[in-house]
Amino acid sequence: MNNFAGMVLFSKFGRSMKNRLHKPVFMNKPKLSELLLTAFFMIGSLMAPKLAICQTYQDYINKGNSKDSLKDYSGAIVDFNAAIRLDSTKADPYYFRGNAEFDQLAYDKATKDYAKAVAIDPNYGEAYFNQGNAFYELKKYDEAIYSFTKFIALKPSVAEAYYDRANASVKNKDYNGAIDDYKQACIINPMYFQAYYDCGNLYFNLKMFHEAIDDYNQVVKLAPKDYHAWFNRAMAEFNLDDANAGCEDLNKAKELGDPEAEDFLNELCGQP
């Protein structure tokens, strides 16, 4: 808003100067004060267009975020670069530039910008969180876990942070740590069916089928139209030799549109 106010002010000033410069030439020799005044107005008129486009740090931040929301990530980065040139002591432009780089899949650049943001502001939780996701995409799971842990220390009540750290722990084969984090995510947000689902899958892969079924039960309650949990629960039930329950769940998965359920019904349940 300040920038627009400035543009209106200067454009008015410029129009009045054009009118003044087109007045008839002085009939008498002008006084020194008149020459100085004329020179002042001429300089003001020449400078007005430049002043009209002069932008502040906050202007660049706002423009960058607007472009980012429109998925113009390259344009957003240009504006965040300009904001950094105007004030390199603030954490925000590094964080926002990191977000734009993340969306461009430039994860390595993003991690570096997030690192600059938290170096300036060690309490910048969002930068740690996004840095963790960037490290995850780079398959740097130790670094991802570290970043998520830093975020959790600052904001311990965000379920997504535990979920994302759990996923990184699975990649690191720290299965106990992953299970603890999935559970914590579900404690914070009992509706977090994706955390129940992934925890159930982890239990399944660890051949802990009873525990897997407990988590799939939660998914079925929270997202009953998603066939994945019905299918996976069926597989756990078959591993526990509960064919009746397995066949019921496979039929439900088929009803919900699972393209693989029919083949398994033929093979495991003898259904045509």
Side-chain angles (χ1 to χ4, degrees):
M1 291 300 295
N2 291 335
N3 187 44
F4 281 115
M7 290 176 68
V8 171
L9 175 62
F10 287 121
S11 62
K12 285 182 178 178
F13 186 70
R15 280 197 296 271
S16 66
M17 283 311 305
K18 288 180 180 179
N19 293 334
R20 185 183 299 274
L21 291 172
H22 283 87
K23 284 187 176 180
V25 178
F26 292 106
M27 297 301 292
N28 299 318
K29 183 178 180 181
K31 298 177 182 178
L32 178 60
S33 60
E34 293 172 336
L35 289 172
L36 291 173
L37 185 62
T38 301
F40 171 78
F41 285 132
M42 289 179 67
I43 293 170
S45 179
L46 292 171
M47 290 179 62
K50 293 182 179 180
L51 291 171
I53 61 172
C54 180
Q55 300 190 62
T56 67
Y57 163 88
Q58 193 59 50
D59 291 330
Y60 284 116
I61 292 294
N62 293 342
K63 283 178 58 183
N65 282 323
S66 294
K67 290 176 182 177
D68 186 80
S69 68
L70 295 172
K71 300 184 179 181
D72 177 11
Y73 305 124
S74 296
I77 289 170
V78 169
D79 285 323
F80 296 136
N81 288 343
I84 290 168
R85 285 194 296 272
L86 288 174
D87 191 345
S88 61
T89 67
K90 288 185 169 63
D92 280 346
Y94 294 105
Y95 169 72
F96 293 135
R97 188 171 70 180
N99 289 346
E101 290 162 342
F102 188 102
D103 289 329
Q104 285 187 322
L105 311 184
Y107 301 120
D108 190 58
K109 288 182 178 179
T111 61
K112 291 179 172 61
D113 270 336
Y114 294 136
K116 290 175 183 176
V118 297
I120 295 169
D121 181 2
N123 293 318
Y124 209 142
E126 292 80 3
Y128 280 119
F129 184 85
N130 290 358
Q131 184 186 53
N133 282 310
F135 277 132
Y136 185 91
E137 295 295 335
L138 291 169
K139 300 182 180 180
K140 295 183 177 181
Y141 304 118
D142 286 329
E143 292 88 340
I145 290 167
Y146 174 83
S147 296
F148 291 133
T149 301
K150 294 290 286 187
F151 174 85
I152 288 168
L154 293 169
K155 299 186 177 183
S157 299
V158 178
E160 288 79 7
Y162 294 93
Y163 173 78
D164 287 348
R165 188 171 69 175
N167 290 339
S169 295
V170 169
K171 296 293 187 179
N172 262 2
K173 299 184 180 180
D174 176 11
Y175 301 129
N176 289 331
I179 289 169
D180 288 343
D181 275 346
Y182 285 134
K183 296 301 184 188
Q184 186 61 31
C186 294
I187 290 170
I188 294 170
N189 179 10
M191 304 298 290
Y192 205 159
F193 67 88
Q194 187 65 50
Y196 282 116
Y197 181 76
D198 286 351
C199 193
N201 289 343
L202 178 55
Y203 277 133
F204 187 100
N205 290 330
L206 294 172
K207 301 186 186 304
M208 300 172 68
F209 300 116
H210 288 290
E211 291 82 354
I213 288 172
D214 287 340
D215 280 326
Y216 294 141
N217 288 344
Q218 294 300 316
V219 182
V220 165
K221 289 178 184 177
L222 295 170
K225 294 184 179 181
D226 188 330
Y227 61 72
H228 295 88
W230 295 94
F231 180 89
N232 286 8
R233 188 171 70 174
M235 295 302 103
E237 289 160 346
F238 283 118
N239 275 282
L240 292 173
D241 295 323
D242 189 351
N244 288 333
C247 291
E248 287 181 12
D249 278 348
L250 279 178
N251 274 303
K252 184 63 176 180
K254 177 184 175 181
E255 177 188 320
L256 292 170
D258 187 339
E260 296 181 298
E262 186 170 357
D263 290 338
F264 281 87
L265 280 167
N266 292 338
E267 180 179 350
L268 299 174
C269 303
Q271 295 184 17

